[in-house]
Amino acid sequence: MVWPFVDQMNPSGDTLALASTEVDLSQIPEGAQIKVMWRGRPMFVRHRTKAEIEEAQSVSLSQLKDPQTDEDRATAADGTYRPEWLVMSANCTHLGCVPLGDGAGEYNGWFCPCHGSHYDSSGRIRKGPAPTNLPVPEYVFLSDTKIKIG
Amino acid sequence: MSGPSTYKPKPGFETWLDQRLPLIRFANDTMIDFPTPKNLNYWWTFGGILAVCLVLQIITGIVLAMNYVAHTDLAFQSVERIMRDVNFGWLLRYMHSNGASMFFLAVYLHMARGLYYGSYKAPREILWILGVIIFLLMMATAFMGYVLPWGQMSYWGAMVITNLFSSFDQLIPGLGTSITTWLWGGFSVDNPTLNRFFSLHYLLPFVIFAVVALHVWALHVPGNNNPTGIEVKSKSETVPFHPYYTVKDGFAIVIFLMLFAAFVFFNPNALGHADNYIPADPLVTPAHIVPEWYFLPFYAMLRAVPDKLGGVLVMFGSIGLLFILPWLDRAKTKSMRYRPIAKQFWFLFIIAFLVLGYCGSQPADGPIVLVAQIATGYYFAYFLIILPLLAKLETPKGVPTSISAAVLSSDKKGQ
């Protein structure tokens, strides 16, 4: 009896049916990032530099609060691994603010100005109140220069 | 205190009505003949002030809702239309937004009064608990109201506060996410969120109104506490509510409305945040997010804890403690007037609360975090350690035998 009144607050059919988002990668030069909207929330798509990738790969897992290798994070759902492309949520896992990018923070990745969380160049949480890494959504490469999120 | 009714209906209509629905008797017993301690000071006028605040918020809110559109594409525009085009829209909106601030100002003073004079102690525990419930409902209402204009602070405030619940992912993975998705009606703060916030923002004031009725009912059974903290012993220690306290409350309400008017007419945005005049943008977070001033102390507690779930628990716990306060402070003497040591800790508590408010308004780095941690620690220690210990250790000083004795002795001192 109560459930319909509770469940009506959950995402409705049309919200769930929201289409996936396609991103044209050819427009993003190396060392730059864009924000795209997917399901009403922003996503970072970053074209990483060699230095950023090396830095991210050189971190040992024991230094991480939420251990995850850079390879795991930069691999698409279809198994394609192209480390120059990093696709992840742009909402800080603390309380949802959008972190500042382009090498911000103490770990040359992202820094959330709201409550001071630092993420490294792989989007992994290194310092501050956020509990987990910036989540990587499901995405696949449609071609060399195009991905589809969702 | 309430005792048997002294109302004598006049013959004719009053008697006829009294035998069917004793409305006039009720009004007489609660607002006219109600026996009230004769020594209440001005700290006791905030109850009346708060009633005025609630009624003003409801009236201005109802007419604002006639002009507001709860849709992410139109909300910001509709608020600007209220400000520019709707007749007296600027006045109504500024009354409503500043009214919220005034409401909280009065409620904090009202609660501080209760803490100082021990108004939460037997036989007024339920009266106090109902008050804490009203405070929580006020916070929920104010938060959702602040989201409605759909400016940058609205959006990101809603994002941060609803994300507090995602911390439950640390307890059971997925639990927090399910709660936030349910609260949002989607995968982020969006149109469904705005719609439901509007619905609840309209509902909750009437819930508050109902709990206020219970609060007043619970007040009228034991009657008012008073500055001595000693219960009324005889009718000679009371005066009828009308005209003595209708006039005193009325005077305080006029003074309070002058302060209110000063904000509304001369500095209506002083208590707000400029960023909320920028339409909500899910892609850009303002560099420095702050809640409205009345939430700052609790916001500072949230940030003082470096762990996400820990911060959330501390913040909610700070209010949760108030519910059990009557059983934490078991001291027999109610009023801090006669508790020389507890009084000093009370003043320190007020200072700690103000310091937390300041910390909450500043960016969270460097010494601010440490100061907020110390103040948070004191806030909890006051309720969990200091008050329970003082109840056992402190010797009250100069407690008078009755309200009359206290009034007479202070008269002598005055001469």
Side-chain angles (χ1 to χ4, degrees):
Chain A
M1 277 302 288
V2 178
W3 183 239
F5 292 90
V6 175
D7 195 36
Q8 56 84 22
M9 279 176 70
N10 272 318
S12 55
D14 61 330
T15 306
L16 289 173
L18 267 189
S20 49
T21 303
E22 290 186 11
V23 186
D24 181 3
L25 301 179
S26 63
Q27 302 301 316
I28 314 169
E30 188 174 309
Q33 70 180 27
I34 60 164
K35 280 179 266 184
V36 295
M37 292 298 278
W38 175 60
R39 283 183 153 180
R41 43 190 333 163
M43 297 284 144
F44 287 129
V45 180
R46 180 159 184 89
H47 193 167
R48 297 192 292 179
T49 61
K50 287 252 160 25
E52 283 171 11
I53 299 166
E54 274 164 26
E55 193 182 343
Q57 288 174 338
S58 67
V59 178
S60 78
L61 289 184
S62 59
Q63 288 172 272
L64 299 172
K65 187 173 176 183
D66 179 14
Q68 221 180 357
T69 62
D70 184 60
E71 190 175 341
D72 273 352
R73 296 183 53 78
T75 304
D78 56 2
T80 315
Y81 174 53
R82 291 174 62 189
E84 67 271 33
W85 295 109
L86 182 65
V87 182
M88 60 185 185
S89 161
N91 290 117
C92 178
T93 57
H94 181 225
L95 296 172
C97 298
V98 176
L100 305 170
D102 295 319
E106 291 173 19
Y107 295 89
N108 303 321
W110 286 265
F111 170 69
C112 182
C114 291
H115 308 97
S117 291
H118 299 256
Y119 296 90
D120 65 14
S121 57
S122 187
R124 293 174 296 201
I125 180 64
R126 300 299 290 273
K127 186 182 172 188
T132 58
N133 304 334
L134 293 172
V136 177
E138 279 202 7
Y139 66 97
V140 292
F141 280 89
L142 297 176
S143 69
D144 268 4
T145 58
K146 196 174 250 185
I147 59 167
K148 186 179 85 166
I149 306 177
Chain B
M1 273 288 281
S2 42
S5 176
T6 51
Y7 170 65
K8 293 217 168 43
K10 293 198 182 77
F13 176 71
E14 277 191 30
T15 304
W16 182 87
L17 184 69
D18 197 53
Q19 287 160 355
R20 285 158 181 82
L21 180 67
L23 261 186
I24 303 178
R25 178 182 298 276
F26 179 74
N28 177 79
D29 293 350
T30 54
M31 288 179 285
I32 297 173
D33 278 352
F34 184 69
T36 314
K38 61 185 179 183
N39 59 335
L40 298 189
N41 57 30
Y42 273 104
W43 296 106
W44 260 263
T45 58
F46 286 98
I49 287 171
L50 284 161
V52 170
C53 286
L54 178 60
V55 170
L56 271 179
Q57 287 303 90
I58 289 180
I59 294 172
T60 52
I62 288 172
V63 292
L64 283 170
M66 294 179 187
N67 294 288
Y68 171 77
V69 186
H71 189 284
T72 49
D73 293 343
L74 302 167
F76 189 87
Q77 296 300 327
S78 77
V79 171
E80 284 309 302
R81 188 181 150 267
I82 289 171
M83 294 303 290
R84 291 150 200 257
D85 296 335
V86 174
N87 301 328
F88 291 104
W90 60 271
L91 176 64
L92 297 167
R93 176 161 178 263
Y94 279 152
M95 281 175 73
H96 197 69
S97 59
N98 285 287
S101 282
M102 293 295 119
F103 207 156
F104 275 95
L105 176 65
V107 91
Y108 280 131
L109 292 170
H110 191 63
M111 292 169 80
R113 192 284 318 272
L115 288 176
Y116 186 83
Y117 292 111
S119 302
Y120 48 86
K121 295 187 181 197
R124 296 185 184 79
E125 300 96 322
I126 293 191
L127 172 62
W128 170 260
I129 288 171
L130 287 167
V132 179
I133 293 173
I134 294 169
F135 180 54
L136 273 176
L137 286 169
M138 277 175 64
M139 292 174 102
T141 311
F143 158 65
M144 289 193 268
Y146 193 59
V147 174
L148 302 183
W150 210 242
Q152 273 290 66
M153 280 295 168
S154 299
Y155 181 87
W156 291 102
M159 183 66 110
V160 165
I161 299 299
T162 50
N163 258 312
L164 293 178
F165 294 95
S166 71
S167 63
F168 294 126
D169 274 343
Q170 280 171 265
L171 287 178
I172 305 170
L175 175 68
T177 311
S178 311
I179 295 176
T180 49
T181 305
W182 178 72
L183 286 174
W184 292 332
F187 303 99
S188 185
V189 174
D190 211 332
N191 198 47
T193 325
L194 178 61
N195 253 294
R196 63 191 56 181
F197 277 18
F198 182 50
S199 169
L200 294 173
H201 183 71
Y202 206 118
L203 165 73
L204 287 185
F206 297 97
V207 177
I208 293 177
F209 199 89
V211 184
V212 167
L214 293 178
H215 190 66
V216 174
W217 187 6
L219 167 69
H220 281 199
V221 176
N224 293 74
N225 185 25
N226 66 78
T228 67
I230 298 161
E231 296 300 320
V232 168
K233 291 205 168 67
S234 73
K235 186 133 191 180
S236 68
E237 292 179 338
T238 66
V239 288
F241 189 78
H242 179 73
Y244 292 97
Y245 287 112
T246 43
V247 168
K248 188 162 183 161
D249 281 359
F251 178 69
I253 287 166
V254 169
I255 300 288
F256 190 78
L257 288 178
M258 285 165 71
L259 175 70
F260 187 2
F263 275 109
V264 169
F265 293 106
F266 295 101
N267 212 342
N269 289 308
L271 301 170
H273 199 291
D275 273 2
N276 221 28
Y277 284 102
I278 303 168
D281 182 354
L283 289 173
V284 183
T285 306
H288 180 40
I289 293 193
V290 278
E292 290 280 81
W293 69 267
Y294 38 81
F295 290 140
L296 289 174
F298 299 100
Y299 189 61
M301 288 191 221
L302 168 75
R303 297 193 310 185
V305 183
D307 179 68
K308 181 173 167 180
L309 181 62
V312 172
L313 292 180
V314 162
M315 189 178 73
F316 284 119
S318 66
I319 295 166
L321 271 186
L322 297 176
F323 282 100
I324 53 166
L325 172 60
W327 295 276
L328 290 172
D329 177 12
R330 306 296 288 263
K332 289 264 180 330
T333 312
K334 287 193 195 112
S335 175
M336 298 259 179
R337 224 179 233 190
Y338 311 113
R339 301 182 62 188
I341 305 173
K343 182 195 278 182
Q344 294 173 27
F345 283 110
W346 180 87
F347 277 107
L348 254 182
F349 175 79
I350 300 297
I351 292 169
F353 196 71
L354 295 175
V355 165
L356 278 171
Y358 173 75
C359 292
S361 72
Q362 299 300 307
D365 46 43
I368 287 289
V369 178
L370 183 66
V371 172
Q373 284 167 344
I374 293 169
T376 306
Y378 183 78
Y379 180 101
F380 279 84
Y382 178 76
F383 290 116
L384 291 174
I385 301 170
I386 296 169
L387 285 180
L389 273 186
L390 285 182
K392 289 202 169 66
L393 302 178
E394 186 182 26
T395 316
K397 208 171 137 194
V399 187
T401 49
S402 68
I403 293 174
S404 293
V407 172
L408 290 176
S409 71
S410 71
D411 274 2
K412 271 184 209 131
K413 262 185 249 160
Q415 280 164 4

